[in-house]
Amino acid sequence: MELPALKTRLDGFVREILGPNCQLSYLEKSDGHAGLTYLFGVKDGQNQLSEFVLKIPPAGVRLKGNTDVLRQAPLLNALNDAGLPVPKVPYAYDENAWFDRPFIVMEKLPGRVFFVWEPHQSFAHEGEQALSIWRQCVEQLSALHRIDWQSVLPDWEAPEELGDNLARWQAIYRHALEPNWIQLAEETERRLIDHLPDDYQLGLFHGDFQPGNLLYEDYQFVAVIDWELSGISAQALDLGWLLMVVDEKNWISNYRPVSPISEQEVLSIYQSGMGYLPDDHIWFQAFAGYRLASIACLNHKLHVTGKRIEPAWESLGQCVVPMFERAQALLANYK
């Protein structure tokens, strides 16, 4: 939705729900590439400013996965009540008078994300400060994975089998414009199926856990945000994703994450926090590369065909082959 139209509708929400003396002080798109998130401020009659985050799906899209924003409200409020550092969701609506689709409004927390492919200039890109960003990230992952999801989230949603998660990516990578990308994806998928773990720790996973979805203020961790891809399944999905981001063999020389931490340190910090290390973390690292490469197959197509312009996917498209090849190399550890 364009900002002028969004502002008109949001004005109505603010006056009706937050008070007739309240008004928008600013509205802007958030950083990132999802197109679901906006930041806005509200001033009351005494000119006091409150800041919020609006998450709303694009018009006409199927409300599933990252576009089903409403499912985040009970999750985040339950995690917040349990003491985890996540935003509260004071407002969540399905059918409503202001928008023609569901939306949620969250509190805006202080800090800035460390977007690993292009960190803000306020962050150091190397040295101890950058390393501390990553160390805190891994520490928070183990803290998240230690929660008792069955007591904190008993009715949120049913667990998903790992094999079902694996099966869904075929429909994504088949959008690739390059035939060899599809061939690489199919071969990687076969190897993942051949070595699919059948014994894994079930629990809450974030789905895109890395410093770009954590808030930091003065290099100190504040909160975990962007829960669109979360679910209940193998928690090692998150650990594998972190290992994939850190692994330099997934990236080309002119497009790689700022990640001064080593894979071994990621594993060491996670093991220290959890008390164990998943037996199949190599499989989950390979699966993470396969997933991101599959996502890139689709979004690269949308970019180059002009359906959804986002230059980042042009760069990530150059990493598709390295990611599939790296996943296959990791899976070669299984005999």
Side-chain angles (χ1 to χ4, degrees), residues 46-104:
Q46 284 73 47
N47 217 33
Q48 295 295 312
L49 176 67
S50 299
E51 295 184 286
F52 300 95
V53 177
L54 168 69
K55 285 190 175 285
I56 184 168
V61 301
R62 184 182 179 191
L63 301 182
K64 185 177 181 180
N66 69 325
T67 58
D68 185 7
V69 299
L70 204 61
R71 67 189 284 270
Q72 295 179 58
L75 168 66
L76 292 176
N77 286 335
L79 293 180
N80 196 280
D81 290 344
L84 270 77
V86 300
K88 294 179 182 178
V89 184
Y91 309 104
Y93 299 91
D94 189 353
E95 295 183 2
N96 59 85
W98 309 284
F99 297 97
D100 57 357
R101 69 206 80 158
F103 72 96
I104 64 174

Side-chain angles (χ1 to χ4, degrees), residues 60-304:
V61 301
R62 184 182 179 191
L63 301 182
K64 185 177 181 180
N66 69 325
T67 58
D68 185 7
V69 299
L70 204 61
R71 67 189 284 270
Q72 295 179 58
L75 168 66
L76 292 176
N77 286 335
L79 293 180
N80 196 280
D81 290 344
L84 270 77
V86 300
K88 294 179 182 178
V89 184
Y91 309 104
Y93 299 91
D94 189 353
E95 295 183 2
N96 59 85
W98 309 284
F99 297 97
D100 57 357
R101 69 206 80 158
F103 72 96
I104 64 174
V105 173
M106 307 185 300
E107 63 175 346
K108 183 178 182 294
L109 297 174
R112 183 184 294 275
V113 300
F114 186 84
F115 184 60
V116 292
W117 281 274
E118 192 177 352
H120 188 265
Q121 60 186 5
S122 62
F123 288 111
H125 292 194
E126 57 186 15
E128 280 301 313
Q129 289 181 315
L131 193 54
S132 74
I133 291 287
W134 273 93
R135 287 171 174 162
Q136 291 176 78
C137 176
V138 186
E139 290 167 357
Q140 291 304 318
L141 180 59
S142 59
L144 167 66
H145 285 180
R146 289 196 303 268
I147 72 163
D148 182 356
W149 67 276
Q150 290 173 304
S151 62
V152 174
L153 298 163
D155 303 313
W156 182 51
E157 62 181 36
E160 180 185 46
E161 293 290 338
L162 185 57
D164 293 337
N165 190 310
L166 173 56
R168 80 162 75 115
W169 298 98
Q170 185 178 114
I172 305 300
Y173 71 65
R174 288 194 176 279
H175 284 275
L177 296 175
E178 302 291 337
N180 67 307
W181 292 7
I182 296 176
Q183 293 169 3
L184 282 168
E186 290 173 339
E187 177 58 30
T188 308
E189 181 184 29
R190 282 193 291 270
R191 298 188 190 188
L192 287 165
I193 292 171
D194 287 345
H195 305 291
L196 182 72
D198 56 9
D199 183 19
Y200 48 84
Q201 184 67 32
L202 189 69
L204 176 66
F205 71 95
H206 179 275
D208 188 11
F209 199 97
Q210 40 89 8
N213 285 324
L214 275 63
L215 291 172
Y216 298 88
E217 188 174 36
D218 296 327
Y219 289 95
Q220 297 302 307
F221 166 77
V222 175
V224 184
I225 61 172
D226 289 350
W227 290 81
E228 286 89 350
L229 302 177
S230 57
I232 305 295
S233 190
Q235 290 187 307
L237 291 166
D238 284 333
L239 178 60
W241 194 261
L242 271 184
L243 293 169
M244 176 270 295
V245 174
V246 169
D247 184 358
E248 64 180 17
K249 293 181 181 178
N250 285 306
W251 314 108
I252 58 175
S253 60
N254 62 343
Y255 194 78
R256 61 180 63 234
V258 175
S259 52
I261 197 170
S262 69
E263 295 168 63
Q264 284 305 312
E265 187 169 8
V266 169
L267 293 170
S268 177
I269 295 172
Y270 186 82
Q271 183 174 23
S272 178
M274 295 297 293
Y276 70 89
L277 198 60
D279 292 335
D280 290 295
H281 62 82
I282 291 176
W283 186 93
F284 284 96
Q285 182 177 350
F287 185 35
Y290 164 81
R291 286 154 55 207
L292 184 54
S294 296
I295 293 168
C297 286
L298 169 60
N299 285 289
H300 174 266
K301 173 186 176 181
L302 294 175
H303 169 70
V304 300

